[in-house]
mmCIF file of all heavy atoms in Angstrom:
data_model
loop_
_atom_site.group_PDB
_atom_site.id
_atom_site.type_symbol
_atom_site.label_atom_id
_atom_site.label_comp_id
_atom_site.label_asym_id
_atom_site.label_seq_id
_atom_site.Cartn_x
_atom_site.Cartn_y
_atom_site.Cartn_z
ATOM 1 N N GLY A 11 5.891 8.695 -13.511
ATOM 2 C CA GLY A 11 5.905 9.021 -14.931
ATOM 3 C C GLY A 11 5.725 10.489 -15.230
ATOM 4 O O GLY A 11 5.876 10.897 -16.373
ATOM 5 N N GLU A 12 5.378 11.281 -14.245
ATOM 6 C CA GLU A 12 5.190 12.721 -14.455
ATOM 7 C C GLU A 12 6.516 13.456 -14.414
ATOM 8 O O GLU A 12 7.441 13.074 -13.718
ATOM 9 C CB GLU A 12 4.276 13.317 -13.375
ATOM 10 C CG GLU A 12 2.841 12.855 -13.457
ATOM 11 C CD GLU A 12 1.963 13.506 -12.394
ATOM 12 O OE1 GLU A 12 2.356 14.552 -11.820
ATOM 13 O OE2 GLU A 12 0.903 12.944 -12.115
ATOM 14 N N VAL A 13 6.597 14.534 -15.177
ATOM 15 C CA VAL A 13 7.796 15.379 -15.183
ATOM 16 C C VAL A 13 7.825 16.131 -13.861
ATOM 17 O O VAL A 13 6.798 16.569 -13.332
ATOM 18 C CB VAL A 13 7.724 16.392 -16.372
ATOM 19 C CG1 VAL A 13 8.882 17.362 -16.322
ATOM 20 C CG2 VAL A 13 7.697 15.636 -17.694
ATOM 21 N N TRP A 14 9.031 16.278 -13.314
ATOM 22 C CA TRP A 14 9.203 17.016 -12.055
ATOM 23 C C TRP A 14 8.948 18.510 -12.299
ATOM 24 O O TRP A 14 9.442 19.083 -13.267
ATOM 25 C CB TRP A 14 10.629 16.853 -11.541
ATOM 26 C CG TRP A 14 10.911 15.506 -10.935
ATOM 27 C CD1 TRP A 14 11.044 14.314 -11.591
ATOM 28 C CD2 TRP A 14 11.126 15.224 -9.556
ATOM 29 N NE1 TRP A 14 11.328 13.319 -10.707
ATOM 30 C CE2 TRP A 14 11.378 13.847 -9.449
ATOM 31 C CE3 TRP A 14 11.130 16.012 -8.400
ATOM 32 C CZ2 TRP A 14 11.632 13.230 -8.225
ATOM 33 C CZ3 TRP A 14 11.369 15.390 -7.178
ATOM 34 C CH2 TRP A 14 11.611 14.013 -7.094
ATOM 35 N N THR A 15 8.222 19.117 -11.402
ATOM 36 C CA THR A 15 8.032 20.570 -11.444
ATOM 37 C C THR A 15 9.188 21.246 -10.719
ATOM 38 O O THR A 15 9.896 20.607 -9.920
ATOM 39 C CB THR A 15 6.720 21.015 -10.779
ATOM 40 O OG1 THR A 15 6.800 20.694 -9.369
ATOM 41 C CG2 THR A 15 5.505 20.300 -11.387
ATOM 42 N N GLU A 16 9.397 22.521 -10.987
ATOM 43 C CA GLU A 16 10.459 23.236 -10.279
ATOM 44 C C GLU A 16 10.176 23.279 -8.776
ATOM 45 O O GLU A 16 11.087 23.211 -7.967
ATOM 46 C CB GLU A 16 10.610 24.661 -10.850
ATOM 47 C CG GLU A 16 11.738 25.451 -10.191
ATOM 48 C CD GLU A 16 13.094 24.737 -10.229
ATOM 49 O OE1 GLU A 16 13.446 24.109 -11.239
ATOM 50 O OE2 GLU A 16 13.825 24.813 -9.202
ATOM 51 N N GLU A 17 8.902 23.353 -8.415
ATOM 52 C CA GLU A 17 8.519 23.370 -6.996
ATOM 53 C C GLU A 17 8.895 22.043 -6.321
ATOM 54 O O GLU A 17 9.412 22.043 -5.208
ATOM 55 C CB GLU A 17 7.015 23.589 -6.883
ATOM 56 C CG GLU A 17 6.516 23.644 -5.450
ATOM 57 C CD GLU A 17 5.013 23.910 -5.384
ATOM 58 O OE1 GLU A 17 4.527 24.819 -6.066
ATOM 59 O OE2 GLU A 17 4.338 23.173 -4.630
ATOM 60 N N GLN A 18 8.675 20.929 -7.017
ATOM 61 C CA GLN A 18 9.053 19.628 -6.456
ATOM 62 C C GLN A 18 10.565 19.502 -6.344
ATOM 63 O O GLN A 18 11.076 18.968 -5.367
ATOM 64 C CB GLN A 18 8.501 18.499 -7.329
ATOM 65 C CG GLN A 18 6.998 18.360 -7.241
ATOM 66 C CD GLN A 18 6.459 17.386 -8.275
ATOM 67 O OE1 GLN A 18 6.989 17.248 -9.367
ATOM 68 N NE2 GLN A 18 5.400 16.678 -7.897
ATOM 69 N N ALA A 19 11.293 19.987 -7.355
ATOM 70 C CA ALA A 19 12.759 19.941 -7.314
ATOM 71 C C ALA A 19 13.284 20.794 -6.164
ATOM 72 O O ALA A 19 14.210 20.374 -5.453
ATOM 73 C CB ALA A 19 13.344 20.417 -8.637
ATOM 74 N N GLN A 20 12.682 21.929 -5.924
ATOM 75 C CA GLN A 20 13.087 22.787 -4.823
ATOM 76 C C GLN A 20 12.804 22.099 -3.477
ATOM 77 O O GLN A 20 13.615 22.146 -2.560
ATOM 78 C CB GLN A 20 12.358 24.137 -4.878
ATOM 79 C CG GLN A 20 12.746 25.092 -3.767
ATOM 80 C CD GLN A 20 14.237 25.431 -3.732
ATOM 81 O OE1 GLN A 20 14.860 25.561 -4.783
ATOM 82 N NE2 GLN A 20 14.792 25.571 -2.567
ATOM 83 N N GLN A 21 11.646 21.444 -3.388
ATOM 84 C CA GLN A 21 11.324 20.736 -2.152
ATOM 85 C C GLN A 21 12.322 19.599 -1.920
ATOM 86 O O GLN A 21 12.733 19.357 -0.780
ATOM 87 C CB GLN A 21 9.887 20.176 -2.213
ATOM 88 C CG GLN A 21 9.435 19.598 -0.883
ATOM 89 C CD GLN A 21 7.978 19.166 -0.908
ATOM 90 O OE1 GLN A 21 7.323 19.137 -1.926
ATOM 91 N NE2 GLN A 21 7.469 18.792 0.262
ATOM 92 N N LEU A 22 12.719 18.934 -2.999
ATOM 93 C CA LEU A 22 13.757 17.875 -2.889
ATOM 94 C C LEU A 22 15.058 18.454 -2.357
ATOM 95 O O LEU A 22 15.672 17.889 -1.445
ATOM 96 C CB LEU A 22 13.982 17.207 -4.236
ATOM 97 C CG LEU A 22 15.091 16.172 -4.318
ATOM 98 C CD1 LEU A 22 14.845 15.016 -3.339
ATOM 99 C CD2 LEU A 22 15.249 15.644 -5.735
ATOM 100 N N ARG A 23 15.472 19.611 -2.875
ATOM 101 C CA ARG A 23 16.693 20.265 -2.386
ATOM 102 C C ARG A 23 16.591 20.584 -0.894
ATOM 103 O O ARG A 23 17.530 20.364 -0.138
ATOM 104 C CB ARG A 23 16.935 21.553 -3.160
ATOM 105 C CG ARG A 23 17.466 21.350 -4.554
ATOM 106 C CD ARG A 23 17.778 22.696 -5.239
ATOM 107 N NE ARG A 23 17.674 22.540 -6.665
ATOM 108 C CZ ARG A 23 16.606 22.812 -7.411
ATOM 109 N NH1 ARG A 23 15.519 23.327 -6.852
ATOM 110 N NH2 ARG A 23 16.600 22.614 -8.703
ATOM 111 N N GLU A 24 15.451 21.101 -0.477
ATOM 112 C CA GLU A 24 15.253 21.468 0.920
ATOM 113 C C GLU A 24 15.266 20.228 1.825
ATOM 114 O O GLU A 24 15.887 20.243 2.899
ATOM 115 C CB GLU A 24 13.937 22.218 1.085
ATOM 116 C CG GLU A 24 13.969 23.602 0.471
ATOM 117 C CD GLU A 24 12.608 24.289 0.392
ATOM 118 O OE1 GLU A 24 11.605 23.714 0.907
ATOM 119 O OE2 GLU A 24 12.547 25.385 -0.165
ATOM 120 N N LEU A 25 14.587 19.176 1.399
ATOM 121 C CA LEU A 25 14.564 17.946 2.187
ATOM 122 C C LEU A 25 15.957 17.318 2.289
ATOM 123 O O LEU A 25 16.367 16.876 3.348
ATOM 124 C CB LEU A 25 13.574 16.946 1.581
ATOM 125 C CG LEU A 25 12.088 17.312 1.695
ATOM 126 C CD1 LEU A 25 11.244 16.416 0.813
ATOM 127 C CD2 LEU A 25 11.619 17.258 3.134
ATOM 128 N N ALA A 26 16.674 17.316 1.164
ATOM 129 C CA ALA A 26 18.043 16.764 1.174
ATOM 130 C C ALA A 26 18.930 17.607 2.074
ATOM 131 O O ALA A 26 19.761 17.078 2.818
ATOM 132 C CB ALA A 26 18.590 16.730 -0.233
ATOM 133 N N GLY A 27 18.788 18.929 2.039
ATOM 134 C CA GLY A 27 19.584 19.808 2.881
ATOM 135 C C GLY A 27 19.314 19.616 4.355
ATOM 136 O O GLY A 27 20.176 19.851 5.205
ATOM 137 N N ALA A 28 18.113 19.144 4.674
ATOM 138 C CA ALA A 28 17.735 18.891 6.066
ATOM 139 C C ALA A 28 18.056 17.452 6.488
ATOM 140 O O ALA A 28 17.644 17.026 7.568
ATOM 141 C CB ALA A 28 16.248 19.162 6.248
ATOM 142 N N ASN A 29 18.792 16.712 5.626
ATOM 143 C CA ASN A 29 19.185 15.339 5.925
ATOM 144 C C ASN A 29 17.981 14.407 6.123
ATOM 145 O O ASN A 29 17.999 13.503 6.928
ATOM 146 C CB ASN A 29 20.099 15.309 7.170
ATOM 147 C CG ASN A 29 20.848 13.998 7.306
ATOM 148 O OD1 ASN A 29 21.090 13.301 6.330
ATOM 149 N ND2 ASN A 29 21.216 13.657 8.527
ATOM 150 N N THR A 30 16.930 14.662 5.351
ATOM 151 C CA THR A 30 15.711 13.843 5.428
ATOM 152 C C THR A 30 15.966 12.490 4.757
ATOM 153 O O THR A 30 16.514 12.448 3.649
ATOM 154 C CB THR A 30 14.548 14.556 4.701
ATOM 155 O OG1 THR A 30 14.394 15.855 5.281
ATOM 156 C CG2 THR A 30 13.257 13.790 4.833
ATOM 157 N N PRO A 31 15.594 11.399 5.390
ATOM 158 C CA PRO A 31 15.780 10.065 4.760
ATOM 159 C C PRO A 31 15.022 9.970 3.436
ATOM 160 O O PRO A 31 13.930 10.540 3.294
ATOM 161 C CB PRO A 31 15.216 9.108 5.791
ATOM 162 C CG PRO A 31 15.241 9.851 7.092
ATOM 163 C CD PRO A 31 15.038 11.284 6.739
ATOM 164 N N VAL A 32 15.563 9.233 2.496
ATOM 165 C CA VAL A 32 14.949 9.091 1.169
ATOM 166 C C VAL A 32 13.530 8.514 1.271
ATOM 167 O O VAL A 32 12.652 8.946 0.541
ATOM 168 C CB VAL A 32 15.844 8.238 0.241
ATOM 169 C CG1 VAL A 32 15.160 7.995 -1.096
ATOM 170 C CG2 VAL A 32 17.181 8.923 0.025
ATOM 171 N N GLY A 33 13.315 7.614 2.205
ATOM 172 C CA GLY A 33 11.976 7.048 2.377
ATOM 173 C C GLY A 33 10.950 8.103 2.746
ATOM 174 O O GLY A 33 9.808 8.085 2.267
ATOM 175 N N VAL A 34 11.344 9.050 3.599
ATOM 176 C CA VAL A 34 10.448 10.138 3.996
ATOM 177 C C VAL A 34 10.220 11.084 2.816
ATOM 178 O O VAL A 34 9.109 11.525 2.559
ATOM 179 C CB VAL A 34 11.010 10.887 5.229
ATOM 180 C CG1 VAL A 34 10.147 12.107 5.571
ATOM 181 C CG2 VAL A 34 11.104 9.946 6.424
ATOM 182 N N MET A 35 11.316 11.361 2.073
ATOM 183 C CA MET A 35 11.186 12.206 0.873
ATOM 184 C C MET A 35 10.199 11.587 -0.095
ATOM 185 O O MET A 35 9.392 12.288 -0.709
ATOM 186 C CB MET A 35 12.537 12.355 0.172
ATOM 187 C CG MET A 35 13.556 13.173 0.897
ATOM 188 S SD MET A 35 15.021 13.259 -0.163
ATOM 189 C CE MET A 35 16.240 13.768 1.002
ATOM 190 N N SER A 36 10.283 10.256 -0.233
ATOM 191 C CA SER A 36 9.407 9.539 -1.142
ATOM 192 C C SER A 36 7.939 9.765 -0.801
ATOM 193 O O SER A 36 7.121 10.048 -1.689
ATOM 194 C CB SER A 36 9.733 8.045 -1.049
ATOM 195 O OG SER A 36 8.837 7.271 -1.802
ATOM 196 N N VAL A 37 7.606 9.689 0.458
ATOM 197 C CA VAL A 37 6.227 9.912 0.905
ATOM 198 C C VAL A 37 5.825 11.376 0.704
ATOM 199 O O VAL A 37 4.756 11.652 0.153
ATOM 200 C CB VAL A 37 6.050 9.485 2.373
ATOM 201 C CG1 VAL A 37 4.692 9.891 2.898
ATOM 202 C CG2 VAL A 37 6.271 7.994 2.518
ATOM 203 N N LYS A 38 6.687 12.302 1.090
ATOM 204 C CA LYS A 38 6.358 13.731 0.999
ATOM 205 C C LYS A 38 6.192 14.196 -0.449
ATOM 206 O O LYS A 38 5.350 15.036 -0.734
ATOM 207 C CB LYS A 38 7.427 14.571 1.689
ATOM 208 C CG LYS A 38 7.367 14.454 3.204
ATOM 209 C CD LYS A 38 8.382 15.400 3.836
ATOM 210 C CE LYS A 38 8.320 15.342 5.330
ATOM 211 N NZ LYS A 38 7.473 16.351 5.919
ATOM 212 N N LEU A 39 7.020 13.643 -1.337
ATOM 213 C CA LEU A 39 6.974 14.060 -2.733
ATOM 214 C C LEU A 39 6.081 13.185 -3.610
ATOM 215 O O LEU A 39 5.835 13.529 -4.778
ATOM 216 C CB LEU A 39 8.389 14.099 -3.316
ATOM 217 C CG LEU A 39 9.312 15.141 -2.713
ATOM 218 C CD1 LEU A 39 10.753 14.910 -3.163
ATOM 219 C CD2 LEU A 39 8.862 16.549 -3.088
#
Side-chain angles (χ1 to χ4, degrees):
E12 291 182 19
V13 176
W14 285 72
T15 65
E16 182 54 40
E17 181 179 312
Q18 290 172 326
Q20 181 59 37
Q21 188 175 9
L22 175 59
R23 285 184 206 95
E24 291 170 3
L25 291 168
N29 197 25
T30 304
V32 175
V34 174
M35 290 183 198
S36 174
V37 172
K38 288 184 179 265
L39 294 169

